[in-house]
Amino acid sequence: MSVTVRPATAADAEAVAVVWYLGWQDGHLGHVPDELTALRTEESFGTRAAARVADTTVAVADGEIAGFVMVVGDEVEQVYVARDHRGSGVAGTLLAEAERQVRANGHDEAWLAAVTGNARARRFYERSGWTDAGAFDYAASIDGGTFPVPSHRYVKRVQNA
């Protein structure tokens, strides 16, 4: 399987929303407060994906969106892979691209938040050379503000020594 990465376009927003919604459920249900789960409707992911096209890079495999990352400054804000493409190397390709973008944004270190209970994601980040810098409450964006989510901050140096 050949995987390519490219900047997302408005035409990708619907596919990104599906990957994001399903992936968010897999990694977050039972690990975040119920109040946040109630806000993260399928429709909300469609709205958010459309609004975040400029921050999004997609991975395309076999002609379909296999996953995506969103990078803002030094933060790798979202990393999601479609269920059918998990375990295929897409996540590693996306994370490497996110690290490249953080470096291109002029930062020496990248960071991301992983929900405390999302053990699968946390293991993946650690295998990928990221370091758990400790627990904190991530300020997840919601309409009209933010919502605190128990998470772990992961960091990785992205500049060459």
Side-chain angles (χ1 to χ4, degrees), residues 95 99 110 112 122-132 154-158:
L95 194 56
E99 293 168 12
L112 59 81
R122 293 180 60 198
R123 282 191 307 270
F124 167 71
Y125 297 131
E126 290 168 10
R127 282 193 317 268
S128 299
W130 290 69
T131 301
D132 184 346
Y154 281 81
V155 295
K156 185 174 184 182
R157 185 155 176 80
V158 294

Side-chain angles (χ1 to χ4, degrees), residues 136-157:
F136 79 118
D137 283 339
Y138 182 77
S141 295
I142 60 170
D143 284 343
T146 61
F147 192 94
V149 178
S151 301
H152 278 251
R153 181 182 177 102
Y154 281 81
V155 295
K156 185 174 184 182
R157 185 155 176 80

Side-chain angles (χ1 to χ4, degrees), residues 20-107:
W20 198 359
Y21 174 68
L22 295 174
W24 191 90
Q25 289 185 319
D26 290 344
H28 293 78
L29 291 183
H31 304 300
V32 299
D34 292 342
E35 297 87 353
L36 181 60
T37 300
L39 297 171
R40 294 296 194 236
T41 64
E42 189 170 0
E43 180 183 22
S44 77
F45 285 93
T47 301
R48 292 168 65 215
R52 300 290 307 276
V53 168
D55 302 328
T56 306
T57 299
V58 295
V60 179
D62 300 328
E64 67 181 17
I65 303 296
F68 71 93
V69 293
M70 292 180 181
V71 175
V72 178
D74 62 346
E75 181 184 3
V76 179
E77 196 175 291
Q78 308 293 337
V79 181
Y80 285 93
V81 175
R83 289 175 178 165
D84 291 347
H85 293 280
R86 292 182 191 159
S88 69
V90 170
T93 299
L94 285 167
L95 194 56
E97 172 61 15
E99 293 168 12
R100 185 201 67 74
Q101 289 180 25
V102 169
R103 187 171 47 253
N105 289 342
H107 302 283

